[in-house]
Amino acid sequence: MTLSVDASQAVKIDWFADTLSELASRAQRQRLHHGLLFIGQRGIGKQVSAHEMAGRLLCKQVRSDNTACGACQSCDLMQAGSHPDFYWLTTDKTQIGVDLIRSAIQSLSSKAQLSHNKVLIIPDAHLLSDAAANALLKTLEEPTPSTFIILVTHQHNRLLPTILSRCEKVIFNTPTTAESLDWLAKVRQDDAMSLPQDLLIDERSLAAYGGAPLLLLDSAEAQNAITFTRFIDTLKSIESGQSAEVDLLDVSTRWQNDAEQVIIWLQRYCHQQARQQSRDSLATDTDTDYWQLYTQTTQAAQKVRHAGTNKSMLLFELFNTFREATHYVR
Ligand SMILES: [Zn+2]
């Protein structure tokens, strides 16, 4: 369970309320397609919404606004994570194999135990192997009654066309910056997550995660992994001349698996600084040449994609260049 899922349970995500309401309303009128495909960027709350949608489909006393009542036996079991007619496919994040799909379909073939509906959610549906997709296809073509299958993906182009054509596509748009920041502020205020004090929640850090608020939140969980907060802290230390405190080789080694991300952030940072300099007309011969650094990060961004590139060494060289360019005796 990730931090963002916990957070969305504590502070409700509301930017998809209309979409879910419309789907639930159609379900009430028996007009909802049994195969749904939730499409949208990673980290914006699609899986959380799929879970909420399942709750609405299983609730025994759906409210007039099409939300789950939160009080019936079905809602209780959903909250406890033990609803007998709800299936959440858990994957190892590399591939969804045919055996897993077969056993999920098997579960769906039995009669609903509690609610009249049954729901299967397949997160990261783009990981379906071809065999698994084909096994699923039959169920999508000839569904058992009162069964809903919700596929969730941020890479729908990787799905077989046959799967795509048999599902109703539901597009989830990325929330606005204001919506995201507002929600993140509430999550911080709620304090149930004990977010690290130093976790940056602002426009720039949100942009670093492609505008996806749940990705920003999940970054706080990663112990050794690179987060935008740690990245910016490190850059600032180097820039302010405290680089003696930053062991560049250590940082480069720890971040090598995320080298592409780090380089993109550094590239963007140098670009912003360069533009700032141009605007402020502060560029004098004693100032750091951020355009030059930007060019170097662009070259590194190409290099990092080549097989066989020593990523930690590439990062180390880049940080060293950055240190030399930004911190010298003036
Ligand atoms: Zn209910």
Side-chain angles (χ1 to χ4, degrees):
M1 183 76 43
T2 55
L3 196 62
S4 58
V5 172
D6 290 341
S8 57
Q9 275 159 6
V11 180
K12 233 170 147 39
I13 284 177
D14 50 15
W15 46 81
F16 296 137
D18 289 348
T19 306
L20 294 182
S21 184
E22 199 266 326
L23 294 175
S25 157
R26 280 201 278 137
Q28 287 295 308
R29 291 179 277 128
Q30 318 268 312
R31 304 296 290 269
L32 186 64
H33 198 277
H34 61 273
L36 298 171
L37 177 61
F38 284 13
I39 299 172
Q41 196 192 330
R42 196 157 72 102
I44 57 172
K46 295 186 305 301
Q47 292 190 13
V48 176
S49 299
H51 190 273
E52 190 184 331
M53 188 62 214
R56 296 181 187 210
L57 289 167
L58 295 170
C59 173
K60 291 177 163 182
Q61 306 155 24
V62 174
R63 294 199 203 110
S64 57
D65 66 351
N66 301 308
T67 57
C69 75
C72 70
Q73 187 192 9
S74 200
C75 285
D76 281 349
L77 288 167
M78 272 307 272
Q79 271 153 28
S82 52
H83 198 297
D85 302 320
F86 175 65
Y87 309 94
W88 181 280
L89 206 85
T90 314
T91 69
D92 60 2
K93 297 281 177 196
T94 53
Q95 194 181 57
I96 303 174
V98 66
D99 290 345
L100 205 55
I101 286 297
R102 285 212 182 105
S103 94
I105 292 170
Q106 179 65 32
S107 316
L108 287 178
S109 64
S110 54
K111 202 170 171 299
Q113 293 185 44
L114 192 72
S115 312
H116 53 291
N117 286 332
K118 289 169 288 180
V119 183
L120 165 66
I121 293 180
I122 305 178
D124 296 314
H126 50 271
L127 298 178
L128 282 166
S129 70
D130 284 0
N134 284 321
L136 183 64
L137 209 55
K138 201 162 154 20
T139 307
L140 286 172
E141 280 166 350
E142 300 160 21
T144 45
S146 308
T147 299
F148 292 92
I149 301 176
I150 305 178
L151 293 89
V152 185
T153 183
H154 56 272
Q155 293 179 314
H156 68 282
N157 293 335
R158 282 174 62 187
L159 285 166
L160 289 184
T162 41
I163 293 278
L164 287 172
S165 66
R166 279 165 186 79
C167 292
E168 176 179 337
K169 295 170 200 67
V170 185
I171 310 289
F172 287 78
N173 293 318
T174 303
T176 64
T177 302
E179 282 171 329
S180 295
L181 291 179
D182 190 42
W183 181 73
L184 288 165
K186 281 184 198 149
V187 170
R188 167 158 277 168
Q189 203 175 18
D190 179 75
D191 208 33
M193 303 307 116
S194 324
L195 292 182
Q197 284 295 320
D198 65 352
L199 180 71
L200 285 175
I201 293 182
D202 58 16
E203 227 176 297
R204 194 174 56 161
S205 56
L206 184 65
Y209 290 97
L214 280 72
L215 282 189
L216 194 166
L217 217 51
D218 281 341
S219 75
E221 246 193 353
Q223 287 301 317
N224 260 333
I226 171 73
T227 64
F228 186 67
T229 309
R230 287 181 201 138
F231 166 78
I232 283 292
D233 281 354
T234 305
L235 275 198
K236 293 288 177 198
S237 304
I238 298 173
E239 269 188 327
S240 64
Q242 298 164 338
S243 55
E245 293 167 21
V246 182
D247 183 340
L248 293 187
L249 195 56
D250 176 57
V251 165
S252 307
T253 308
R254 278 190 289 118
W255 291 353
Q256 61 178 321
N257 290 337
D258 297 301
E260 269 185 69
Q261 176 71 80
V262 173
I263 291 170
I264 288 171
W265 284 342
L266 190 59
Q267 194 178 13
R268 195 180 297 168
Y269 180 83
C270 292
H271 189 247
Q272 281 167 351
Q273 294 296 103
R275 289 187 51 168
Q276 184 74 30
Q277 276 183 334
S278 315
R279 266 202 302 274
D280 298 351
S281 312
L282 287 176
T284 67
D285 56 358
T286 54
D287 266 315
T288 305
D289 187 347
Y290 281 103
W291 282 124
Q292 174 63 26
L293 280 173
Y294 173 69
T295 308
Q296 275 165 303
T297 55
T298 306
Q299 286 160 357
Q302 286 167 356
K303 222 173 174 180
V304 74
R305 293 195 200 102
H306 293 170
T309 296
N310 183 332
K311 292 180 181 177
S312 69
M313 198 41 71
L314 182 66
L315 283 183
F316 180 67
E317 284 166 5
L318 208 51
F319 280 130
N320 235 340
T321 310
F322 187 82
R323 167 153 68 185
E324 281 165 14
T326 56
H327 179 238
Y328 47 77
V329 183
R330 298 185 180 199

